[in-house]
Amino acid sequence: MSKNIILMLLTICTLYNYGCTPLEKNKKEVSSWQKIKWQNVNRQIYDYSCGAGALSTLIEYYFHDPAPEPFILDDMFNRIPPDELKARLARGFSMQDLKIQAQSMGYVAAGVELSPEMLEKLKGPVIVLLEGKEINHFVIVKGIGQGRVYLADPSRGNIWIRHDDFISQWKGGLALVLGKAGFGLPTDHLLALNQELSPEWKDPQVEMLRNQHRQFQNIPDKFFRIIFPVETIN
């Protein structure tokens, strides 16, 4: 019997213990997990468009202004000279490109260099560039807590990574900070950490299911970094 089949049986047994039918529960969990994974995050359309996806997410879910990624990309394509555009499509956009785009849309934008301590004290989300082995990647830092950095990632949705791992990937400590005249620094917005830092991580049902998967397949902890709030198990 394959590991996947045994893992499915373990999951079904666990869900029966929660007092619900496995078919209904599995459908609800898959739907809930996917919904929460991409809640208030715009998925990037192309491999090279993580910067546009991050900018779109920040503007729509922090400033509450419409900013679809296709509009942002079209605007950037029209601004960048054709001889430079080919390089952007191969390697992605720069933070300077995102800054200019945000300013053209009426926002105050500044690229700043921050220390880890300064990043923790920020009152709002910012765009940062993470350095990968083959390609760099733009994400939004929503906040820091419990030794984790919570991200809105245009390619992976709502995730968190360990603080030390984030610092090692954070390219040059650079961040793109956006502002808007009269907007202030609201705490009640759609990129706030009210879900990720709530007690759902201590929910015994969620933890039991997560531990069963880990113990059986010996999956690294990083596989379980998608955020599963309490609503995934009702």
Side-chain angles (χ1 to χ4, degrees):
M1 186 178 293
S2 71
K3 283 188 175 183
N4 288 336
I5 293 176
I6 296 175
L7 188 59
M8 183 182 298
L9 291 175
L10 284 172
T11 302
I12 291 174
C13 290
T14 302
L15 296 176
Y16 262 125
N17 290 333
Y18 297 154
C20 58
T21 62
L23 183 58
E24 293 175 353
K25 193 62 180 182
N26 282 338
K27 286 182 178 179
K28 189 169 185 179
E29 284 189 342
V30 170
S31 175
S32 296
W33 290 351
Q34 286 298 315
K35 179 181 177 181
I36 292 163
K37 177 182 178 182
W38 287 102
Q39 187 173 35
N40 303 328
V41 181
N42 293 338
R43 190 195 297 255
Q44 67 187 75
I45 300 174
Y46 306 105
D47 290 343
Y48 59 81
S49 65
C50 60
L55 186 59
S56 170
T57 296
L58 183 61
I59 292 175
E60 290 198 346
Y61 298 114
Y62 182 63
F63 294 100
H64 305 287
D65 294 330
E69 183 181 320
F71 166 80
I72 291 176
L73 286 174
D74 186 60
D75 206 27
M76 295 175 79
F77 288 164
N78 289 332
R79 184 180 301 105
I80 298 174
D83 58 327
E84 297 180 16
L85 185 57
K86 185 176 181 180
R88 299 294 203 284
L89 297 180
R91 296 193 296 269
F93 297 101
S94 67
M95 190 166 286
Q96 180 70 6
D97 292 328
L98 300 185
K99 173 186 172 183
I100 294 173
Q101 177 60 32
Q103 290 173 334
S104 74
M105 297 171 70
Y107 298 93
V108 178
V112 297
E113 184 175 349
L114 301 174
S115 67
E117 294 75 20
M118 293 170 65
L119 184 66
E120 291 188 38
K121 295 178 181 178
L122 289 180
K123 302 299 183 181
V126 296
I127 296 176
V128 302
L129 185 60
L130 300 184
E131 189 170 24
K133 293 181 179 179
E134 297 181 359
I135 191 170
N136 298 330
H137 185 58
F138 284 106
V139 298
I140 296 173
V141 174
K142 301 200 293 183
I144 300 173
Q146 301 173 346
R148 304 163 179 168
V149 180
Y150 293 84
L151 308 175
D153 186 327
S155 71
R156 295 176 291 177
N158 287 302
I159 63 169
W160 62 263
I161 62 177
R162 287 186 173 86
H163 188 271
D164 291 345
D165 292 338
F166 172 82
I167 296 303
S168 67
Q169 297 174 43
W170 187 17
K171 189 174 177 63
L174 298 178
L176 180 63
V177 180
L178 265 61
K180 183 180 178 182
F183 187 74
L185 292 171
T187 57
D188 184 19
H189 55 82
L190 296 177
L191 293 177
L193 290 182
N194 55 338
Q195 284 189 340
E196 288 83 345
L197 295 182
S198 61
E200 79 276 351
W201 282 102
K202 299 179 182 179
D203 182 272
Q205 295 177 346
V206 175
E207 205 54 44
M208 183 185 300
L209 202 57
R210 188 183 290 119
N211 287 336
Q212 283 185 345
H213 283 254
R214 288 200 192 110
Q215 291 170 8
F216 181 73
Q217 287 197 325
N218 195 28
I219 299 175
D221 184 66
K222 64 182 180 180
F223 184 81
F224 292 91
R225 291 178 184 173
I226 295 173
I227 298 160
F228 299 135
V230 172
E231 67 178 276
T232 61
I233 296 180
N234 294 323

